[in-house]
Amino acid sequence: MERMNMTRRTFARGVAGAATVVLGGLGLAGCSNGDSAGSGSTSSSANSGKTYKIGVLQLTEHNALDAANKGFVEALDDSGISYTIDQENAQNDQSACQTIAQKLVNDGCDLILAIATPAAQAVAGATTDIPIVGTAITDFAASGLVDSNDAPGGNLTGSSDMNPVADQIDLLQELVPDAKTVGLLYCTAESNSKVQIDMAKKELDKVGLSYTDYTVSSSNEIQQVAESMIGKVDAVYAPTDNTIAAGMTTVSMVTNQNKLPVICGEVGMVENGGLASLSINYEELGKRAGEMAVKILTEDADPATMPIETMSADECDLVYNKKTADEVGVDVSSLASDGGTDVSAA
């Protein structure tokens, strides 16, 4: 059924190749029209003759969340379990998140994956019984999803994309050494962004850089706010904010033309015109969430006692966009020497 501001897909963008392998020879099966079935090795003890019903609520489409979705599905396939999956996307609409969350609960899913903080908040508000695994969430505890990140205490656990914010500010200083004022670009509706921005402010205070908040409440405001930064700041820091990530091409259209470098929270934002990042690997993040889901489904693991999993700075990827660097006049040769990856051709 077509829904306003909602899309329903077999797999997230970027998972098409995996879908071909998973579905090969199986046909379609599932909770309702559009669901898909998957399985790894049918000899796996994890299978046990049961087909699990899994629901996925993804906040919106952008590279990071799509990669997390892909990694989750890969982990399910690697485990050998048999499952049907209902992929839903709220297109960054909070009311749509709530509607989809209730639908997945009503459908009697065995487990629900929530991708991004608003999606997890919607699912958590819809059920205290069905196990929930979240991913691409910065701080589960600060967002009110769990009692603590070490001991969640309820029916929800998952993998965190908490950024190495201090290292990203160091990266900004390395690439833009003459910067005196930094623009902090984020969406006020996202609690995950506020957590990162507060961390960034502490780091900027430590190194003596001034900063100004440039905030949006929706994607419609991105171009205007980006334009308002021109001539007022020397560089921009944008965390793993879903609204900004989804609108990064608009941001970079403005900033690159005006030679304003943007240090980003994740690789997808760099691919879409940002300058550089020390980025979480979102596919790996999704895999970790998928592995947690398999334990819950097949080993009776309790989300209440499963600590939130995080990735260290050593596990992050140093990435840069050479095309953007040339446009804004920033030398990124040091990043290439340090083993960084040029994603401008992505």
Side-chain angles (χ1 to χ4, degrees):
M1 179 179 297
E2 190 70 22
R3 299 182 183 89
M4 184 176 297
N5 296 322
M6 293 181 262
T7 61
R8 191 169 175 208
R9 301 165 291 133
T10 302
F11 286 97
R13 184 177 58 196
V15 192
T20 301
V21 175
V22 171
L23 297 176
L26 292 176
L28 293 178
C31 313
S32 54
N33 293 337
D35 296 344
S36 61
S39 68
S41 170
T42 56
S43 63
S44 170
S45 60
N47 210 349
S48 303
K50 178 177 174 63
T51 297
Y52 298 97
K53 184 184 294 187
I54 298 172
V56 176
L57 170 52
Q58 181 172 324
L59 175 64
T60 191
E61 289 180 281
H62 63 70
N63 292 1
L65 302 191
D66 294 346
N69 197 324
K70 177 182 179 182
F72 178 81
V73 173
E74 288 176 351
L76 297 183
D77 293 338
D78 290 344
S79 74
I81 67 170
S82 177
Y83 64 91
T84 63
I85 190 164
D86 182 358
Q87 289 272 6
E88 302 278 354
N89 192 299
Q91 298 299 326
N92 210 21
D93 185 318
Q94 187 60 52
S95 63
C97 278
Q98 294 168 357
T99 300
I100 295 170
Q102 192 59 59
K103 173 199 177 298
L104 296 176
V105 171
N106 292 343
D107 285 348
C109 290
D110 294 303
L111 181 140
I112 299 173
L113 172 71
I115 307 178
T117 304
Q121 290 169 331
V123 179
T127 180
T128 57
D129 298 319
I130 297 173
I132 305 165
V133 175
T135 193
I137 295 165
T138 301
D139 192 324
F140 284 69
S143 298
L145 294 168
V146 297
D147 293 340
S148 77
N149 291 324
D150 292 329
N155 63 321
L156 189 152
T157 187
S159 57
S160 166
D161 65 350
M162 176 63 78
N163 263 326
V165 174
D167 296 279
Q168 291 172 345
I169 297 302
D170 287 346
L171 182 61
L172 185 152
Q173 286 190 287
E174 176 184 346
L175 295 179
V176 197
D178 296 328
K180 294 181 173 58
T181 303
V182 177
L184 301 175
L185 179 62
Y186 63 102
C187 177
T188 53
E190 298 191 33
S191 60
N192 54 300
S193 300
K194 184 66 165 60
V195 170
Q196 295 171 79
I197 290 297
D198 286 345
M199 294 171 66
K201 288 178 178 179
K202 289 180 182 178
E203 296 302 321
L204 291 168
D205 285 337
K206 286 181 184 178
V207 298
L209 291 178
S210 62
Y211 49 82
T212 303
D213 287 14
Y214 288 89
T215 63
V216 303
S217 59
S218 73
S219 58
N220 295 331
E221 302 172 1
I222 290 177
Q223 182 170 344
Q224 180 180 355
V225 171
E227 290 172 346
S228 72
M229 295 189 292
I230 304 305
K232 299 177 182 175
V233 299
D234 305 306
V236 177
Y237 176 69
T240 54
D241 181 292
N242 293 293
T243 302
I244 300 301
M248 192 62 204
T249 54
T250 300
V251 174
S252 60
M253 176 186 70
V254 175
T255 55
N256 293 354
Q257 182 178 357
N258 289 278
K259 300 189 180 303
L260 181 61
V262 183
I263 302 300
C264 306
E266 53 90 12
V267 61
M269 300 169 76
V270 181
E271 290 173 347
N272 287 323
L275 177 60
S277 179
L278 186 62
S279 172
I280 293 286
N281 184 315
Y282 276 85
E283 186 171 337
E284 176 61 28
L285 194 73
K287 285 182 180 179
R288 294 189 185 188
E291 291 164 357
M292 298 175 83
V294 170
K295 289 179 181 179
I296 292 168
L297 292 170
T298 67
E299 301 176 19
D300 293 325
D302 185 358
T305 59
M306 299 175 73
I308 303 303
E309 295 200 8
T310 59
M311 298 181 71
S312 68
D314 291 340
E315 297 175 285
C316 293
D317 300 324
L318 180 62
V319 295
Y320 62 94
N321 188 316
K322 183 62 166 59
K323 180 180 178 182
T324 294
D326 292 341
E327 285 186 68
V328 301
V330 171
D331 181 5
V332 291
S333 58
S334 63
L335 303 189
S337 300
D338 289 341
T341 300
D342 177 12
V343 299
S344 59

